[in-house]
Amino acid sequence: MGGVFEPLKGGGAAIALDEIEISILRSLAVQLLELIGPGEPEPDPDADPLAALFASDGPTEPPSDPALARLFPDAYGGPETGPDADAEELRAHSAEFRRFTENDLRTRKREDALAVVRSLDGLSPAGDGAAVLEVGGELRLRWLGALNDLRLTIAARLDITEDDESAVLFRLPDDDPRKPMVMAYLWLGGLQETLVETLSDTL
């Protein structure tokens, strides 16, 4: 399989991973979990779900950490929006939207990263040093979500955007201290792209 996802007959995708690749992916997913933080407590089964929805008390300000700001961006406007009245209104709408949605979004992102960790924990490399991971159904979508979140986080740490991606990533000298993170970023991009392709093959 050559380190990329390939479609499985009947749906799903598979990839061969060696011990080093498993270790890197697991470490990145665990770091993502630590960055996102603890999840929300379990809801009270006797509580009124409609009342709980309107009583939501999530954050209203974007995170100060640039990586978290990439993972939980403003829905409307943003820090770059100017100070005019329309911009203020957009920021107010964004704050209200964040208050009702960010906690759930954090929970989903944690579940995606946890799914990656758990599926990697179940792998046992064979004699040739590789193990085949098969993902299908919801797990495939969880992997897609986690891979995207990992790439956004690394991009924030490298201070790069899609506009300058090619110029920055492909021209770094080997002795640049960012090189290992760049290689991880590119590798994750390949995994994400080939996993998306397996989804399109089933449509």
Side-chain angles (χ1 to χ4, degrees), residues 3-180:
V4 297
F5 281 100
E6 295 185 359
L8 291 172
K9 290 183 179 179
I15 184 173
L17 298 168
D18 61 29
E19 289 189 21
I20 294 176
E21 291 167 332
I22 293 171
S23 177
I24 292 172
L25 279 170
R26 190 184 187 285
S27 176
L28 289 173
V30 168
Q31 290 178 61
L32 180 61
L33 284 169
E34 293 171 350
L35 176 68
I36 293 171
E40 288 297 292
E42 289 294 321
D44 182 354
D46 298 324
D48 180 352
L50 188 60
L53 173 64
F54 285 99
S56 178
D57 193 23
T60 58
E61 295 295 325
S64 58
D65 185 309
L68 285 174
R70 290 269 185 112
L71 294 176
F72 307 103
D74 274 323
Y76 312 99
E80 71 283 354
T81 309
D84 57 27
D86 289 342
E88 289 295 335
E89 184 176 350
L90 286 176
R91 281 193 286 270
H93 287 315
S94 187
E96 188 71 0
F97 184 83
R98 183 182 295 278
R99 183 167 77 90
F100 286 104
T101 61
E102 184 170 311
N103 285 340
D104 287 342
L105 186 55
R106 280 180 181 266
T107 298
R108 194 195 77 200
K109 289 180 181 297
R110 279 189 58 81
E111 290 173 351
D112 289 347
L114 276 171
V116 169
V117 171
R118 288 167 179 161
S119 56
L120 292 172
D121 284 345
L123 290 182
S124 298
D128 61 357
V132 176
L133 171 70
E134 295 186 2
V135 296
E138 183 181 345
L139 183 57
R140 184 163 47 162
L141 298 177
R142 296 245 178 242
W143 265 81
L144 271 176
L147 289 172
N148 185 63
D149 289 342
L150 287 171
R151 294 190 77 238
L152 287 173
T153 301
I154 293 175
R157 295 295 185 238
L158 292 171
D159 195 25
I160 60 172
T161 65
E162 291 183 3
D163 293 336
D164 60 11
E165 180 176 305
S166 59
V168 172
L169 300 187
F170 294 103
R171 297 177 186 173
L172 288 179
D174 291 339
D175 60 354
D176 191 299
R178 296 173 295 170
K179 190 76 170 184

